[in-house]
């Protein structure tokens, strides 16, 4: 789609709108569920989609992927997935969320004493690496790291 639109001499800003509206949502669909289980190779393959789109949008002005991200003022897909996961995790902590019982109770509710990291959540005991890389333990680790 971007290649066809590039043939009509659209500016990079318009191509960026098309990319952000049509391509990126497909790439990031349900990202908080599957992001934590990605291998390094899979992360690179997903990032290659945006790299190719940047190359198409900028044409001859493309130097490196990092420069292209700065020129187009867009974050990398990995950082966007990280932010999506954090937003989901913070949404789960809200009392109004119907899914807040998915998280373990915070340490402050388990102890009557004043704790330094009372807002942190107890990590889920994971017997296998596969479960450790799944979304819920990852979201808890992300919440603890960003509290």
């Amino acid at each position: 789609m971007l290649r066809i639109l590039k043939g009509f001499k659209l500016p990079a800003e318009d191509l960026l709108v098309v990319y952000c509206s049509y391509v990126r949502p497909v790439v990031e669909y349900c990202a908080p569920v599957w992001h934590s289980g990605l291998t390094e190779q899979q992360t690179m393959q997903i990032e290659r989609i945006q790299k190719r789109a940047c190359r198409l949008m900028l044409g001859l002005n493309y130097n490196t992927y990092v420069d292209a991200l700065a020129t187009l003022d867009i974050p990398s897909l990995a950082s966007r997935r990280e932010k999506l996961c954090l937003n989901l995790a913070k949404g789960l902590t809200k009392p109004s969320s119907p899914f807040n019982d998915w998280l373990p109770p915070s340490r402050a509710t388990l102890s009557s004493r004043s704790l330094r990291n009372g807002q942190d959540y107890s990590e889920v005991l994971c017997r296998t690496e596969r479960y450790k890389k799944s979304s819920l333990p990852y979201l808890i680790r992300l919440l603890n790291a960003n509290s």
Side-chain angles (χ1 to χ4, degrees):
M1 181 187 324
L2 288 175
R3 201 175 308 125
I4 292 169
L5 291 173
K6 180 75 172 176
F8 290 117
K9 308 285 189 222
L10 287 177
E13 294 82 24
D14 293 344
L15 292 173
L16 180 62
V17 170
V18 170
Y19 169 75
C20 291
S21 301
Y22 291 99
V23 179
R24 197 165 67 183
V26 173
V27 173
E28 293 178 338
Y29 182 70
C30 294
V33 175
W34 49 262
H35 169 68
S36 60
L38 290 177
T39 63
E40 189 67 33
Q41 182 183 7
Q42 291 167 335
T43 301
M44 299 289 274
Q45 288 174 337
I46 292 171
E47 206 69 43
R48 196 171 1 155
I49 295 169
Q50 182 163 298
K51 190 175 185 178
R52 186 172 181 189
C54 289
R55 190 175 291 132
L56 271 168
M57 288 184 263
L58 294 176
L60 296 174
N61 297 330
Y62 181 87
N63 291 327
T64 64
Y65 180 55
V66 175
D67 291 340
L69 292 178
T71 302
L72 295 170
D73 194 30
I74 56 175
S76 68
L77 290 176
S79 64
R80 278 188 54 86
R81 286 193 310 273
E82 194 78 24
K83 188 175 179 181
L84 287 169
C85 290
L86 184 60
N87 288 342
L88 174 69
K90 286 181 179 178
L92 289 175
T93 62
K94 294 181 181 176
S96 61
S97 171
F99 306 108
N100 61 0
D101 59 339
W102 287 3
L103 297 175
S106 65
R107 290 183 181 146
T109 59
L110 295 175
S111 175
S112 60
R113 296 182 181 185
S114 177
L115 303 173
R116 277 180 270 181
N117 52 355
Q119 298 303 319
D120 288 352
Y121 293 90
S122 299
E123 293 219 8
V124 178
L125 296 175
C126 304
R127 292 188 328 182
T128 63
E129 279 298 311
R130 183 175 185 177
Y131 182 57
K132 188 175 183 179
K133 291 181 181 179
S134 67
S135 58
L136 193 58
Y138 174 74
L139 292 176
I140 292 168
R141 284 192 306 272
L142 200 60
L143 274 176
N144 288 339
N146 290 303
S147 62

